[in-house]
Amino acid sequence: MSGKIQQQMYTRERGGIFHATDGYDTIAISEGLDQAFVKKYLHPFCIYHSPKTLAERGEKDASIYPEAVTMFQPETGDLVIGQAVFVPADFTGARSTYFMHNYIIPRAQKEEWIKQPEKLFQINDFQTSYDMANGKVLPEREVVGYEASDVLSVTSDLLGTLGITEENFKQLLFTVMSSIAGKKKVFISLNVPLQVYSKYAMQLLELIFLYLPYAHRRKLGAMTFTSEPETKNYIHVMFFEPATLNTRDRAIEKQFIFDFASNRISGVDLSDRQHEYLELALHHFTHSKRMDDFFEFAEMALAGLPESSKLELASYYQLTDIYLTVRYNDFSLYAKNKAGFLHSLMKFLQVNSNEKPDLTGLFLTLMKEEKIAPDKASALDYLNAVVSINAIVRSDQALFFILETLTYYQHDPLFHQLWKVIEQDMPTHEALVMFMNEHQDFESLLELYLNGRFKHLVLLEDILNELKAMVGTPYLFGIEKFKSVVRKSIASAISTDSDPFKAVLAVESFIVDRCSADFDEFKQDILVHARLALLRSIRLQDLTLPDIKAFRKIFTKELNVGDLKDVKVKENYLITNTLYQLINIPSQAETYSLKPLTVAAREQLRGILQRLLRDHPSPEQFPLLFIAFETEFDGVDYQGVLDYLIKHSDDKTLLSFVRGNARLVDIDFGYRRSLRKYFISHPKSLWKNKTLRTELQLIKNYSLKQLLKEVETETASPVVKFLKKNGLKLLMALAIVGGVGGGAWWTLDRFFGTDSSVPKASKTAVSSKNNSEKEQKDKLTGTPISLDLFHKATMDVDGKSFSLHLDGKQVKNIIGKAQPDGIYSYLLNDREGGQWPLNLSTDLDTRIPFDQNKLLNEGFSLYGIEHDFTGDDIPEVVIVASNSISDSYVWVYSLKLKSNPLHPILVKKGRSTVQLDGNKLIFPDYEVYQYSTESQNFVKQNN
């Protein structure tokens, strides 16, 4: 649409703009007027309803018919104002019609018309007919003629003629504003003659329009005459012919009705509350004063707010108090409802506050004057408004007001509620907290606040949730008082938690959505103190295996116990850490030193182990039993171990224990004595079960077999026991009595069940010795065994351990695996179920085959084999680390010299390969070492 004022004329004619046939149509329009706009918006309003009283009598005098002025503002932003008049005869002369002339004010010019109501309501430039000979194009207009009389000067006469009181006018103003903001319509009938009806309607409309805020003026739609009221889009006020109101139409009755002709008003009641804006408007109205200054103030205050806020009456009620306070420096309205006044101020400052200096200035003035919020009943609501406005304008006066108010209520329960309000705006909260933290006079106030946030939180979960809710306040994480309060709260929660280990793990896994360096540092700080709280609160007597495993997850790195000043914390850490080390790798329990523990702590640890193992006395945990029953001065209480197993395990477990510890029979007299006593004395010992006795006798250990023979003798019948004890003496006695003749020997042979028909070979001592040396020599000679005949270690699937399968006479395999500290250990598993750590740390320079973690360096492989160097049918174990190019390292172990760990009887470094030949270990073209039975060690041979 053009930027100029457009025109349109409408009536019944012989063809028009849109139709070539006879009938109602637009007959002429301006060139800049969009035809689609005409059809969509103008045609529905090109109507005229003749007064029923005139139509019924067939009145043809056009002068007594009222004009019908229509004004509306579609969503395009344009303003349409037009006039329809009665025409007694159309182009045929046979029937009446009407003629309508519309002006379309473009959006660009609309504001001028809105602010000068006379241009709308005093137009004297409407046409009542049109000569089709002038064509279908109307000129675009720069201006429209209008009168410039002051309607306010005739207000009294006007209202007197219409019978409208000041209260009625206030009601009219209220309902028109309500209609524009809502959906209800305003229907008005005037008690004036029909021929001047539209004139008075226009004057009343102009008067109402003068007291409408600009936002409402930009929406108002009205019709000055219709024969019967009806609801219509874009129309808010409709003047209707008197005596035509259908009171039985409920849709009509729901509207605002001002039937001044019948002295009837319905749908409006202003007695329910105070109407500040209406009172202000009425004040100006009674003094015939315009309200442009207020409307400009309202435009400024409402700038940026949604249209709904610009139209609702409440906005103008609130603005009235603010306007009067600002313009006349009258704070009495503020004093009546301080909190409500500030909330109103906040409403208008929330958008475009930089463009509203009058409002921001008023807020700063109020903060300066108030100092604190002493009224406890409204303090919370008032502070809420202050914080909300400060979130917009950011002023030191507001911060000092908040600070003084907090100080005033610091001993009142309201104190913490006030902080909840402050927390709604993080910048305000941060400014206050940082100020308090930096000024000693307010430190106690800050501490009171922080304590209050965590005071009622008992469960760790609640504390962590509170911390997560504070992710928007990262500045707190750097404040020492905050950290101190959180430390105490978390420590208290952990100390009372039914599962303190789980609680500390919850702290470890605690994360927030927006992490930062300050938060990470803060978390590490509280984690350190959470761990100390755990150590302080550990109930050792209640420790479980899951607790001990959780302990390791918490303390992934060893603590420097020298840094632990609290004796209880230090002792709890040492005991629990020792328990983990023992339980994690039971096979190495013997190598773990308990010396860092006090005597009392060691005794406590043993008691804990005994309690923990009673439900899990499995074979892999047997080494822990020796720790659990170790005494300070007498070694292991083996009798206690056996009694414990008898009580808490079954025969199968007991048998596994005896089998796995058969080596102790040979090296520990205390164990041998206790085991012997158990076999002999216990009524349900393994020995006294035939099946289990057979299992015992199958254990391949010489010393144990000797012990079992003693047990067998001790538990035999008296006759068998006598024979076993005195059998040799009895034979000698029989020999003396019977001589050396065949008869006596025959008798003995028969007695012992030997067959005399088999000839006996007699040997001299010399011949026996010669034969033995020959057998020994035969055993020690043969084809040399090269490295390619050795077994080679293979890496396991996990890539962190390996196995070297020997499947030999003495040894099943050798395994290597990383310990929690990353150091590799090498373990030999023998055929008797024993597991022996191998000592690879010798005087030999082993820096080449192994790295700092005792893992083979790249290029080296591990080999192993059993080989009998001594010729006693008990093979030794040979381990070789070789790169097959330049270096080979050899360790030889004897399982006859069992120790923990196993120490090698030979360690040597050679060249690329190794050979074994009888009792010799050969480095080809380099060195040869031969085992000597006389010195019982390897001797280097001269090449």
Side-chain angles (χ1 to χ4, degrees):
M1 184 180 294
S2 168
K4 296 182 180 181
I5 300 171
Q6 306 296 307
Q7 298 185 75
Q8 180 237 9
M9 293 183 179
Y10 184 95
T11 188
R12 185 198 298 273
E13 261 296 349
R14 291 189 176 93
I17 299 295
F18 300 102
H19 302 287
T21 58
D22 297 350
Y24 283 104
D25 195 2
T26 295
I27 60 173
I29 60 173
S30 300
E31 286 186 324
L33 189 58
D34 185 1
Q35 293 189 8
F37 180 89
V38 174
K39 293 177 70 175
K40 181 175 181 180
Y41 294 110
L42 300 186
H43 280 187
F45 288 93
C46 291
I47 53 175
Y48 180 82
H49 297 293
S50 298
K52 290 183 178 180
T53 55
L54 299 180
E56 287 173 356
R57 68 179 190 225
E59 182 62 57
K60 296 296 183 179
D61 184 358
S63 64
I64 63 175
Y65 279 80
E67 302 91 348
V69 178
T70 300
M71 180 182 76
F72 68 95
Q73 303 177 68
E75 56 272 6
T76 61
D78 305 300
L79 186 153
V80 178
I81 185 165
Q83 175 184 271
V85 295
F86 174 78
V87 179
D90 63 3
F91 62 90
T92 65
R95 52 185 172 177
S96 63
T97 184
Y98 63 90
F99 180 89
M100 188 163 193
H101 181 197
N102 283 316
Y103 288 108
I104 298 89
I105 316 302
R107 179 197 293 260
Q109 294 190 40
K110 174 178 171 179
E111 201 66 16
E112 179 184 349
W113 289 59
I114 289 296
K115 294 182 179 180
Q116 297 182 50
E118 59 272 18
K119 298 185 72 170
L120 276 172
F121 298 100
Q122 297 184 40
I123 295 175
N124 57 12
D125 206 1
F126 284 119
Q127 302 299 312
T128 58
S129 64
Y130 182 71
D131 187 351
M132 292 295 291
N134 293 326
K136 297 181 179 180
V137 177
L138 298 173
E140 296 179 331
R141 303 283 291 270
E142 294 287 348
V143 295
V144 175
Y146 67 95
E147 297 176 6
S149 61
D150 183 7
V151 70
L152 290 176
S153 64
V154 296
T155 298
S156 297
D157 292 339
L158 175 63
L159 296 187
T161 300
L162 299 177
I164 297 176
T165 65
E166 289 184 353
E167 182 64 23
N168 294 152
F169 182 79
K170 187 165 73 170
Q171 291 175 322
L172 280 168
L173 187 59
F174 172 81
T175 55
V176 171
M177 291 179 71
S178 299
S179 177
I180 294 171
K183 295 182 179 180
K184 294 177 72 172
K185 306 298 183 179
V186 181
F187 295 136
I188 305 172
S189 74
L190 301 176
N191 188 20
V192 295
L194 288 175
Q195 56 264 43
V196 292
Y197 199 94
S198 190
K199 169 189 170 183
Y200 282 103
M202 287 291 280
Q203 286 181 325
L204 182 58
L205 273 175
E206 183 178 0
L207 199 57
I208 294 171
F209 198 82
L210 275 172
Y211 295 98
L212 285 179
Y214 293 155
H216 293 78
R217 294 186 187 184
R218 297 185 187 101
K219 302 287 287 185
L220 178 65
M223 295 180 69
T224 62
F225 182 81
T226 183
S227 61
E228 187 175 352
E230 62 174 331
T231 59
K232 197 170 184 65
N233 276 345
Y234 307 118
I235 301 299
H236 306 97
V237 181
M238 183 176 287
F239 290 84
F240 64 93
E241 180 182 1
T244 61
L245 182 68
N246 183 3
T247 57
R248 291 174 295 179
D249 187 341
R250 296 187 63 185
I252 297 297
E253 281 297 302
K254 290 179 180 179
Q255 313 306 318
F256 298 118
I257 307 296
F258 291 89
D259 192 353
F260 292 117
S262 301
N263 198 26
R264 176 176 179 267
I265 297 175
S266 65
V268 56
D269 181 7
L270 300 183
S271 62
D272 59 335
R273 57 158 293 177
Q274 186 176 357
H275 300 272
E276 294 86 350
Y277 171 71
L278 299 181
E279 295 299 332
L280 178 66
L282 193 61
H283 172 78
H284 283 74
F285 174 74
T286 55
H287 291 82
S288 298
K289 294 169 61 178
R290 298 170 74 102
M291 293 182 64
D292 293 340
D293 185 61
F294 173 82
F295 294 147
E296 293 294 342
F297 181 85
E299 286 287 286
M300 174 273 297
L302 290 164
L305 270 64
E307 187 176 78
S308 58
S309 295
K310 294 178 180 179
L311 295 177
E312 65 179 358
L313 271 72
S315 295
Y316 295 92
Y317 292 172
Q318 294 164 334
L319 280 172
T320 298
D321 288 349
I322 296 172
Y323 170 78
L324 293 174
T325 303
V326 171
R327 287 289 184 266
Y328 302 104
N329 203 29
D330 178 7
F331 292 91
S332 60
L333 294 171
Y334 160 73
K336 290 180 181 179
N337 181 8
K338 293 181 178 182
F341 190 96
L342 281 187
H343 279 294
S344 297
L345 198 56
M346 183 271 293
K347 171 182 177 179
F348 303 113
L349 281 171
Q350 63 184 320
V351 183
N352 299 343
S353 61
N354 293 335
E355 301 172 10
K356 304 173 183 179
D358 287 348
L359 303 188
T360 56
L362 175 59
F363 173 68
L364 297 179
T365 299
L366 294 174
M367 290 298 96
K368 186 176 179 180
E369 294 297 325
E370 284 293 343
K371 303 276 192 304
I372 61 170
D375 181 11
K376 184 176 179 180
S378 63
L380 199 63
D381 194 21
Y382 191 93
L383 188 77
N384 186 27
V386 171
V387 171
S388 298
I389 296 176
N390 190 61
I392 301 167
V393 302
R394 300 290 174 215
S395 73
D396 290 340
Q397 287 96 325
L399 292 176
F400 282 117
F401 171 86
I402 297 170
L403 193 60
E404 291 301 322
T405 299
L406 288 171
T407 304
Y408 184 81
Y409 289 104
Q410 63 180 306
H411 302 301
D412 192 287
L414 187 64
F415 177 80
H416 295 292
Q417 296 180 51
L418 294 173
W419 271 107
K420 289 293 183 185
V421 172
I422 296 168
E423 288 166 4
Q424 300 306 308
D425 179 51
M426 286 303 106
T428 299
H429 182 265
E430 180 178 7
L432 286 169
V433 168
M434 300 308 289
F435 181 86
M436 292 179 182
N437 187 54
E438 294 165 5
H439 293 79
Q440 191 172 358
D441 292 345
F442 295 98
E443 283 185 353
S444 60
L445 204 64
L446 177 60
E447 189 170 4
L448 182 63
Y449 160 59
L450 295 174
N451 282 329
R453 286 204 67 161
F454 293 92
K455 181 179 179 181
H456 303 293
L457 303 178
V458 177
L459 300 178
L460 182 70
E461 180 183 3
D462 295 334
I463 295 173
L464 295 180
N465 285 336
E466 180 70 10
L467 288 175
K468 185 168 287 190
M470 300 174 76
V471 68
T473 57
Y475 44 87
L476 286 175
F477 299 143
I479 294 178
E480 185 55 37
K481 282 194 178 299
F482 174 74
K483 291 192 280 189
S484 176
V485 169
V486 174
R487 289 177 199 138
K488 292 177 183 177
S489 298
I490 288 180
S492 175
I494 290 173
S495 65
T496 57
D497 201 294
S498 60
D499 189 346
F501 291 93
K502 183 179 179 182
V504 177
L505 288 174
V507 176
E508 279 200 348
S509 60
F510 172 61
I511 58 173
V512 293
D513 295 334
R514 292 177 288 172
C515 291
S516 64
D518 286 340
F519 173 78
D520 292 339
E521 183 179 344
F522 166 75
K523 180 181 175 181
Q524 287 305 311
D525 178 78
I526 62 171
L527 188 55
V528 167
H529 287 83
R531 289 168 178 163
L532 290 175
L534 170 66
L535 293 175
R536 209 173 284 116
S537 60
I538 284 178
R539 295 177 286 275
L540 294 171
Q541 69 276 12
D542 298 327
L543 278 178
T544 64
L545 288 174
D547 288 341
I548 295 171
K549 291 178 181 179
F551 174 87
R552 190 56 177 180
K553 291 180 181 179
I554 296 168
F555 296 95
T556 55
K557 295 181 180 179
E558 297 279 337
L559 295 184
N560 184 355
V561 292
D563 295 336
L564 302 176
K565 306 305 180 185
D566 188 317
V567 175
K568 183 179 180 182
V569 168
K570 180 177 181 179
E571 186 169 276
N572 283 351
Y573 172 76
L574 287 172
I575 290 176
T576 313
N577 188 52
T578 302
L579 285 168
Y580 171 77
Q581 300 296 341
L582 294 171
I583 292 171
N584 187 49
I585 313 177
S587 61
Q588 296 188 15
E590 292 183 15
T591 66
Y592 197 85
S593 174
L594 302 185
K595 288 183 180 180
L597 299 177
T598 63
V599 173
R602 290 197 291 268
E603 192 60 34
Q604 193 172 11
L605 179 138
R606 292 170 188 135
I608 296 170
L609 274 177
Q610 291 178 25
R611 176 176 58 79
L612 291 175
L613 296 175
R614 63 189 176 200
D615 295 327
H616 308 277
S618 56
E620 58 269 19
Q621 292 177 330
F622 289 158
L624 300 180
L625 291 174
F626 299 133
I627 302 295
F629 287 90
E630 188 178 27
T631 63
E632 288 299 318
F633 306 105
D634 299 326
V636 178
D637 177 12
Y638 290 113
Q639 189 60 52
V641 173
L642 291 171
D643 290 342
Y644 182 88
L645 286 171
I646 291 167
K647 182 177 180 180
H648 298 295
S649 68
D650 53 19
D651 289 343
K652 183 179 179 181
T653 304
L654 260 172
L655 180 62
S656 295
F657 177 80
V658 174
R659 182 185 290 113
N661 294 283
R663 61 187 176 83
L664 290 179
V665 176
D666 186 41
I667 62 177
D668 196 315
F669 179 73
Y671 176 72
R672 189 181 195 282
R673 179 181 56 201
S674 298
L675 189 62
R676 185 177 186 278
K677 178 182 176 182
Y678 159 67
F679 283 147
I680 294 172
S681 304
H682 196 278
K684 293 184 179 180
S685 74
L686 300 176
W687 180 258
K688 294 174 183 178
N689 182 306
K690 290 184 179 180
T691 302
L692 297 175
R693 184 191 306 162
T694 302
E695 292 290 331
L696 286 171
Q697 291 171 333
L698 291 175
I699 297 174
K700 296 179 180 180
N701 183 278
Y702 176 79
S703 298
L704 179 62
K705 289 183 180 296
Q706 292 300 114
L707 173 63
L708 293 177
K709 288 181 180 179
E710 294 177 18
V711 172
E712 184 178 28
T713 299
E714 192 66 27
T715 56
S717 64
V719 174
V720 174
K721 189 184 297 185
F722 173 80
L723 289 175
K724 287 189 176 183
K725 183 176 179 180
N726 301 293
L728 180 59
K729 294 179 181 179
L730 179 60
L731 288 174
M732 292 178 65
L734 290 174
I736 292 170
V737 173
V740 294
W745 286 112
W746 177 86
T747 303
L748 287 173
D749 288 342
R750 291 295 300 271
F751 183 81
F752 287 105
T754 58
D755 188 355
S756 61
S757 62
V758 180
K760 302 293 188 296
S762 72
K763 298 181 180 179
T764 64
V766 174
S767 64
S768 296
K769 180 179 179 181
N770 291 339
N771 287 339
S772 177
E773 290 179 349
K774 183 176 183 301
E775 291 173 2
Q776 180 78 353
K777 184 177 180 180
D778 290 342
K779 289 180 180 179
L780 299 179
T781 59
T783 303
I785 300 171
S786 60
L787 191 60
D788 57 359
L789 295 178
F790 281 50
H791 301 279
K792 186 176 181 181
T794 57
M795 186 64 70
D796 291 347
V797 176
D798 60 7
K800 297 180 180 179
S801 57
F802 67 83
S803 302
L804 178 57
H805 295 280
L806 301 185
D807 295 324
K809 185 176 182 181
Q810 293 277 91
V811 180
K812 291 170 58 179
N813 58 24
I814 296 170
I815 60 174
K817 58 182 179 180
Q819 301 306 307
D821 58 5
I823 305 299
Y824 267 74
S825 63
Y826 297 81
L827 304 172
L828 181 149
N829 293 303
D830 63 24
R831 285 292 183 185
E832 297 176 357
Q835 189 175 70
W836 307 89
L838 297 178
N839 182 6
L840 293 172
S841 299
T842 67
D843 294 335
L844 182 64
D845 180 9
T846 59
R847 289 175 296 174
I848 295 178
F850 298 108
D851 63 14
Q852 67 273 15
N853 292 325
K854 293 187 180 180
L855 181 64
L856 278 176
N857 281 321
E858 187 175 355
F860 280 86
S861 298
L862 200 67
Y863 303 85
I865 197 169
E866 283 189 349
H867 184 77
D868 186 5
F869 289 99
T870 59
D872 59 359
D873 287 333
I874 303 177
E876 285 69 44
V877 179
V878 183
I879 297 177
V880 179
S882 174
N883 62 7
S884 301
I885 299 174
S886 59
D887 296 297
S888 293
Y889 296 80
V890 181
W891 294 264
V892 179
Y893 298 89
S894 172
L895 267 66
K896 291 178 289 186
L897 304 175
K898 291 182 177 177
S899 60
N900 194 346
L902 283 178
H903 294 280
I905 60 175
L906 178 68
V907 181
K908 290 297 175 184
K909 174 185 176 183
R911 293 179 179 171
S912 61
T913 188
V914 178
Q915 290 182 353
L916 307 179
D917 188 2
N919 60 354
K920 296 177 181 180
L921 187 148
I922 304 169
F923 295 105
D925 302 323
Y926 184 53
E927 292 177 340
V928 176
Y929 294 89
Q930 184 174 10
Y931 184 81
S932 169
T933 55
E934 293 181 4
S935 61
Q936 294 190 348
N937 58 23
F938 284 87
V939 179
K940 183 178 181 180
Q941 302 297 302
N942 295 324
N943 292 334

